[in-house]
Amino acid sequence: MPIGKMKKHKEMLQHPVLRPHLPETHWFTDSRTSRMLNTYSSVFIKPNHGSGGSGIIRVKRLKKGYEVRRGSSRRIVGSRFVLRAIKSYQKSRHMYLVQKGLRLAKYHGSIFDTRIYLQKPGGKWVISGTAARVAAPHKYVTNYLKGGHAVSLHRVLFSLFKHNRTKADAYFREISKLSVIIAKTINKRHPVRELGVDIAIDTKGRILIIEANSHPGHMLFTQLPDPTMINTIMRNKRLIWK
């Protein structure tokens, strides 16, 4: 069974380098969710076991009440009914966590985050692929299965920092460094040999860890015009599973 999101979050939280980059995350309860809704302008409610952006609920504070969204479905409700609206979108057999909403930086008007694909074909972790995941218009998740598409991470960072290559390169190195630390941290307790790390940059330029996926999909990298990364991923997969 895949490793739950909360288990990975707690393991990363123990690492002093990773801790400052982790948004506040808790198990979903009425009281905790209410407190976070009072603290933050938005929160995300995610199934503990889920992938591809499936089942994610976003709750956004409005001038009056809240917008509760899952996929293309949305409701506007008052504060008295926000928890009821959230639960109407949840599946009873799933455990959920609640996470501080992030104000993601944008590329050409759409939010984006980064996917770092790490593999361990031998004795050490290597980064086989890096890409920016740019959300489809009006979407609040960037996942490939929800219409997100891949763009060269270097290109997106270069655009984000107004063609300041020094700054773009520094962010790329920091994201890469954090990803390897995440892989090593999770690998201490779990026998994983592939990991997809999702890292965001918010509107204030902060680097934030969204999550680490122990069964990452690789189709995102087929969208890049240069096939080098997908070829590397597939070659390392053969080494891992031979």
Side-chain angles (χ1 to χ4, degrees), residues 108-226:
H108 292 177
S110 293
I111 61 168
F112 78 90
D113 59 21
T114 71
R115 164 54 66 94
I116 313 299
Y117 201 112
L118 298 105
Q119 294 173 297
K120 194 178 182 183
K124 69 174 186 175
W125 285 95
V126 296
I127 294 175
S128 301
T130 63
R133 302 188 305 178
V134 181
H138 312 300
K139 294 284 189 178
Y140 57 89
V141 293
T142 62
N143 306 71
Y144 171 81
L145 294 176
K146 299 297 181 183
H149 67 278
V151 180
S152 160
L153 181 51
H154 284 288
R155 176 187 294 181
V156 171
L157 293 176
F158 192 54
S159 172
L160 179 65
F161 296 116
K162 301 182 179 1
H163 301 168
N164 183 333
R165 189 166 297 282
T166 301
K167 192 169 185 179
D169 287 347
Y171 267 74
F172 185 88
R173 287 193 301 271
E174 181 67 12
I175 289 168
S176 299
K177 183 188 84 172
L178 288 172
S179 298
V180 173
I181 294 172
I182 290 167
K184 290 179 177 178
T185 299
I186 291 173
N187 199 197
K188 284 181 180 178
R189 294 177 176 85
H190 309 283
V192 293
R193 296 186 70 183
E194 290 191 300
L195 209 64
V197 173
D198 298 333
I199 291 180
I201 299 171
D202 72 6
T203 53
K204 294 184 179 179
R206 293 175 296 201
I207 296 173
L208 297 160
I209 300 163
I210 300 173
E211 62 180 291
N213 301 276
S214 50
H215 292 277
H218 60 265
M219 293 303 293
L220 179 78
F221 294 92
T222 65
Q223 296 183 332
L224 296 173
D226 183 345

Side-chain angles (χ1 to χ4, degrees), residues 2-72:
I3 311 161
K5 289 182 175 67
M6 183 58 83
K7 183 181 283 291
K8 288 177 288 190
H9 176 81
K10 287 183 176 180
E11 290 168 1
M12 290 188 285
L13 205 58
Q14 299 306 308
H15 197 292
V17 173
L18 302 179
R19 194 178 303 125
H21 298 280
L22 289 162
E24 185 178 353
T25 305
H26 303 284
W27 286 115
F28 175 89
T29 65
D30 288 4
S31 60
R32 199 163 270 149
T33 302
S34 295
R35 181 185 63 76
M36 289 184 70
L37 285 170
N38 288 329
T39 304
Y40 304 117
S41 59
S42 68
V43 301
F44 282 79
I45 291 130
K46 304 178 179 182
N48 186 44
H49 290 284
S51 61
S54 179
I56 293 177
I57 302 161
R58 186 189 72 175
V59 186
K60 184 179 179 181
R61 188 192 305 149
L62 306 174
K63 286 185 178 179
K64 289 186 178 180
Y66 293 90
E67 178 195 63
V68 183
R69 282 187 65 183
R70 193 186 77 177
S72 58

Side-chain angles (χ1 to χ4, degrees), residues 80-96:
R80 287 177 56 199
F81 302 104
V82 65
L83 290 171
R84 184 186 300 177
I86 292 167
K87 290 174 183 178
S88 73
Y89 283 134
Q90 292 178 334
K91 294 184 178 179
S92 58
R93 67 181 184 275
H94 289 168
M95 294 182 68
Y96 285 81

